[in-house]
């Protein structure tokens, strides 16, 4: 069933990560596609990547503006799979770390909403989310179901308020990231002394600058990831492994440490 890499990372590393988190004044997490692969959501860039079956150029903002209904129909098909996904132990471990008061926020590159589903409260979604559509004219945000109902009738989704074109509230290729989410993320980084990077290879900007900011102000960077990762020189504790295996082990150790201090 498994490809083979089931070996537990060294106990020492897990404890080192747990100790640093347990003693953090203000810790945050940055998550990428790797935390959701165990929920059946393929990595954007991987072999079964999200856009492999659909030509990625159709998910550019320019193509969308010219052929909105076609892109909406492709999106609707993709949405069903994303909507049905359930959180995995990686999401639950992060939610646990938040409820323990250790993690103050999760900044995510994922659009799947699985951090919310797992019970996390303070989640910043850098690439938007699948729950909503946004009006490109007046900025109104509406539940995605409203837009999908129009797609089902073969109509291009339009804003009820102003008649403007509705777009899924996820970032299409060629679009800037939502400014408010990016600003919040960097403000959090500025006040954090620990960042836990999980399931991100740190190849995508500006998300990869968030741990750089934490490091620059003397903070600790912990990373849990399978495979390649950029910015190795800023990572203090690197644990190579699947997030759904490693994060619960870290959370369990944090709980032990916190109960010992109590
Ligand atoms: Zn509008």
């Amino acid at each position: 069933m498994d490809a083979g890499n089931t070996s537990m990372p060294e106990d020492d590393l897990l404890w080192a990560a747990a100790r640093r988190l347990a003693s953090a004044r203000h810790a945050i997490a940055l998550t990428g596609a790797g935390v959701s692969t165990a929920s059946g959501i393929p990595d954007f860039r991987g072999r079964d990547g999200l856009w492999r079956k659909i030509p990625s150029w159709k998910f550019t903002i320019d193509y969308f503006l010219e052929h909105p209904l076609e892109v909406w129909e492709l999106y609707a098909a993709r949405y069903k799979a994303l909507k049905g996904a359930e959180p995995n132990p990686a999401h639950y471990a992060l939610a646990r770390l938040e409820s323990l008061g250790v993690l103050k926020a999760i900044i995510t590159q994922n659009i799947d909403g699985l951090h919310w589903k797992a019970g996390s409260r303070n989640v910043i979604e850098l690439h938007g989310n699948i729950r909503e559509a946004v009006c490109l004219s007046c900025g109104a945000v509406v539940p995605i179901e409203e837009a999908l109902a129009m797609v089902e009738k073969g109509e291009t989704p339009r804003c009820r308020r102003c008649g403007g074109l509705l777009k899924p509230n996820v970032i299409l290729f060629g679009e800037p990231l939502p400014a408010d989410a990016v600003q919040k993320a960097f403000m959090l980084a500025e006040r954090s002394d620990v960042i836990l990077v999980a399931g991100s290879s740190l190849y995508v900007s500006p998300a990869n600058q968030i741990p750089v900011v934490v490091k620059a102000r003397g903070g600790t960077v912990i990373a849990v990831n399978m495979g390649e990762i950029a910015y190795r020189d800023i990572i203090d504790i690197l644990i190579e492994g699947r997030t759904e295996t490693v994060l619960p082990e870290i959370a369990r150790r944090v709980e032990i440490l916190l109960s010992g201090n109590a």
Side-chain angles (χ1 to χ4, degrees), residues 190-249:
E190 289 287 349
R191 75 172 90 105
S192 296
D193 58 342
V194 178
I195 184 165
L196 172 59
V197 178
S200 173
S201 50
L202 295 180
Y203 282 109
V204 180
S205 181
N208 59 13
Q209 295 309 303
I210 295 166
V212 171
V213 168
V214 175
K215 183 70 177 182
R217 56 185 304 288
T220 302
V221 180
I222 302 167
V224 178
N225 196 48
M226 280 288 283
E228 296 280 302
I229 191 162
Y231 291 94
R232 266 186 187 254
D233 51 329
I234 66 157
I235 299 170
D236 298 283
I237 302 170
L238 175 61
I239 302 178
E240 293 186 273
R242 298 176 190 279
T243 55
E244 69 273 19
T245 311
V246 175
L247 293 180
E249 290 296 325

Side-chain angles (χ1 to χ4, degrees), residues 129-153:
N129 70 78
I130 61 165
R131 299 178 302 280
E132 301 163 344
V134 61
C135 172
L136 292 180
S137 299
C138 74
V141 171
V142 301
I144 193 74
E145 288 78 9
E146 235 175 77
L148 292 175
M150 293 184 238
V151 176
E152 256 178 44
K153 286 189 251 167

Side-chain angles (χ1 to χ4, degrees), residues 102-186:
V102 171
L103 279 185
K104 305 300 185 218
I106 296 175
I107 300 160
T108 186
Q109 298 170 272
N110 301 336
I111 59 170
D112 52 42
L114 292 179
H115 288 304
W116 297 113
K117 268 197 188 175
S120 289
R121 294 274 176 271
N122 196 11
V123 183
I124 292 138
E125 295 168 309
L126 289 178
H127 294 181
N129 70 78
I130 61 165
R131 299 178 302 280
E132 301 163 344
V134 61
C135 172
L136 292 180
S137 299
C138 74
V141 171
V142 301
I144 193 74
E145 288 78 9
E146 235 175 77
L148 292 175
M150 293 184 238
V151 176
E152 256 178 44
K153 286 189 251 167
E155 295 166 14
T156 300
R158 296 265 164 204
C159 176
R160 278 190 197 165
R161 199 196 286 180
C162 78
L165 178 61
L166 290 176
K167 183 188 77 78
N169 201 7
V170 298
I171 299 305
L172 300 179
F173 292 109
E175 271 194 297
L177 300 192
D180 55 336
V182 172
Q183 192 187 5
K184 257 190 226 167
F186 279 93

